[in-house]
Amino acid sequence: MDRVIAVENNLKPFKDFLAAQGCRIIAVDRVKDTEVDAVVLSGADQNIMGMQNIVTKAPVINASGLSPEEIWNEIQRRTMM
């Protein structure tokens, strides 16, 4: 089963890399309506779009200072499918 990852809109290189790994990418604002395996945020604004109101059991990963490969490794480590 492919992982569903919510990625902040301004993280296109991360979206592209994760999609190439077989992940289904959705917008972060859809987390409240879709079960996701992980959420990737830029770290620039932790309160963007009222994200403090989004409840998810999925790990939230701050992409600040990390490469797409490092994010992928972190997703794999934290979701262990």
Side-chain angles (χ1 to χ4, degrees), residues 28-47:
V28 171
D29 62 353
R30 291 189 47 211
V31 170
K32 63 182 176 263
D33 302 320
T34 307
E35 187 174 330
V36 298
D37 296 296
V39 179
V40 180
L41 303 177
S42 69
D45 185 353
Q46 294 296 329
N47 194 23

Side-chain angles (χ1 to χ4, degrees), residues 7-81:
V7 182
E8 201 169 343
N9 285 335
N10 60 335
L11 296 174
K12 183 169 178 7
F14 294 88
K15 288 179 178 184
D16 294 345
F17 185 86
L18 294 171
Q21 304 313 307
C23 297
R24 183 165 65 99
I25 307 302
I26 66 165
V28 171
D29 62 353
R30 291 189 47 211
V31 170
K32 63 182 176 263
D33 302 320
T34 307
E35 187 174 330
V36 298
D37 296 296
V39 179
V40 180
L41 303 177
S42 69
D45 185 353
Q46 294 296 329
N47 194 23
I48 191 167
M49 300 182 326
M51 282 186 215
Q52 78 280 6
N53 295 328
I54 295 174
V55 176
T56 181
K57 294 179 183 176
V60 176
I61 301 168
N62 182 338
S64 180
L66 299 177
S67 69
E69 293 85 357
E70 289 170 316
I71 292 295
W72 176 236
N73 290 336
E74 187 67 13
I75 289 169
Q76 290 181 304
R77 186 182 71 78
R78 292 171 85 180
T79 60
M80 304 272 279
M81 291 183 83

